[in-house]
Amino acid sequence: MATEPTNDRIMEIGFGFMGAKTLFSALELGLFSLLAAGPLDAETIRTRLGLHPRALRDFLDTLVALGMLAREGERYANTAEADFYLDRAKPSYIGGLLEMLDRRLYGFWASLTEGLRTGSPQNESKGGGENIFAALYADPVRLRLFLQSMTGVSMPSAKAMARQFPWTRYKTFVDVGAAQGGLPVQVALAHPHLTGGGFDLPIVGPVFEEYVASFGLSDRLRFHPGSFFTDPLPRADVLVMGHILHDWNLEEKRALLAKAYEALPTGGALILYEALIDDERRRHVLGLLMSLNMLIETQGGFDYTGADACRWMREAGFRETRVERLTALDSMAVGVK
Ligand SMILES: C[S@@+](CC[C@H](N)C(=O)[O-])C[C@H]1O[C@@H](n2cnc3c(N)ncnc32)[C@H](O)[C@@H]1O
């Protein structure tokens, strides 16, 4: 007799949002920043964070089971990853992104079904409002947190790209949509012969310049203000676009690729990196979820496979293309002019 399948996977997915919200609440309460100073017992955590005793143990032990806290005897401590990425005081903090997921996307995703039926965004722009960046950047604190969190999110890919790409063949590079400048800094630190910078909306400039200066790299990395839809891209041997193309529809993607092609010399390279979906569109769950998120967030954005990226780059004129895995999340598609 055939054995019945288990419902484990279904339950794990169905209850998944509760784990996410538990993490978001811990972040909102400042739990990881509190524990960054050292382990504490539950009662001390309760008084320091102003919590009710009722669900205290469940809250903390859930975070232990989720791998965000460790418990030894009576005391709770951050796990290594929570301490590195979720302590507000560290430059590697990615909580700005998680705060954004909590305050914005957690609610907007409740309307996913409506988005699937209508094909329309379900965020602030629902009913014809501003685009995601205008919404995020209206508040200077949110702007800084978002840009800083992009550095934390993209750091593993930036370090992998600094190692994997043949930078010795090139002299100049510009990261297009550079945010705080996490990638240009990593590449410049690893390759002292390179100069370059970051291109982004003018409002991003001060945050980029401050970050670059903190590494003593201001003489090698400069900020280029502009919009990639209305301004030409800076000329450089290598242009990078990280988590950019997925925000836009196919026509806009092609326009950005054409602009990049235009700005590169013969032999120059364009590197696209993001959560590229596997070519079979079966396995990379986060890449596919990211693409659904583009339905929630944008008018026409969607994520794409490495094969899509290579095809579009060849159609834009690039003569050689390849895809390389950077991290569990991101891959890079490289086009050589
Ligand atoms: C999702 S973030 C990616 C940041 C960074 N490349 C990374 O991967 O960590 C998108 C970036 O595109 C920038 N951006 C959005 N619209 C832009 C435009 N029209 N021109 C230039 N940059 C833009 C945003 O300011 C933001 O820094």
Side-chain angles (χ1 to χ4, degrees), residues 22 145 168 180 186 213 228 250 279-280 316:
T22 305
L145 263 181
T168 47
Q180 194 182 23
Q186 288 308 312
F228 43 52
L250 185 56
D279 288 346
E280 300 278 313

Side-chain angles (χ1 to χ4, degrees), residues 133 137 150 154 177 179 199-201 204 226-228 242-244 273:
F133 295 107
Y137 292 179
M150 285 314 305
S154 299
F199 175 92
D200 210 305
L201 297 167
V204 173
S227 164
F228 43 52
H243 310 105
I244 301 296
Y273 80 98

Side-chain angles (χ1 to χ4, degrees), residues 73-258:
E74 291 297 305
R75 301 206 302 171
Y76 292 87
N78 288 337
T79 56
E81 62 192 309
D83 204 61
F84 190 72
Y85 288 114
L86 302 178
D87 169 16
R88 274 204 188 102
K90 294 197 175 69
S92 49
Y93 181 65
I94 58 169
L97 180 87
L98 297 175
E99 285 172 32
M100 192 277 280
L101 292 180
D102 185 21
R103 290 194 209 142
R104 298 182 58 253
L105 292 182
Y106 189 75
F108 296 147
W109 267 71
S111 309
L112 176 63
T113 314
E114 184 180 340
L116 291 169
R117 287 209 171 102
T118 61
S120 302
Q122 300 298 316
N123 63 0
E124 296 88 349
S125 68
K126 194 169 176 175
E130 55 202 347
N131 85 15
I132 171 183
F133 295 107
L136 277 175
Y137 292 179
D139 168 3
V141 176
R142 259 197 195 181
L143 161 82
R144 187 169 284 270
L145 263 181
F146 175 74
L147 296 174
Q148 185 193 350
S149 72
M150 285 314 305
T151 303
V153 171
S154 299
M155 185 60 73
S157 299
K159 286 187 171 164
M161 195 191 297
R163 276 194 309 273
Q164 276 172 236
F165 186 76
W167 292 104
T168 47
R169 292 186 202 157
Y170 303 97
K171 292 198 174 109
T172 58
F173 75 106
V174 171
D175 188 16
V176 177
Q180 194 182 23
L183 180 123
V185 162
Q186 288 308 312
V187 171
L189 287 175
H191 302 280
H193 73 283
L194 289 172
T195 55
F199 175 92
D200 210 305
L201 297 167
I203 194 169
V204 173
V207 183
F208 178 96
E209 280 161 358
E210 188 187 311
Y211 182 73
V212 166
S214 73
F215 289 86
L217 289 170
S218 305
D219 54 334
R220 289 172 52 212
L221 296 177
R222 71 171 261 250
F223 185 73
H224 302 263
S227 164
F228 43 52
F229 289 119
T230 48
D231 300 305
L233 297 182
R235 298 193 165 271
D237 298 340
V238 180
L239 292 175
V240 182
M241 291 184 184
H243 310 105
I244 301 296
L245 242 52
H246 75 157
D247 287 328
W248 311 102
N249 68 28
L250 185 56
E251 200 184 323
E252 291 160 334
K253 283 176 169 64
R254 287 188 195 281
L256 290 173
L257 293 174

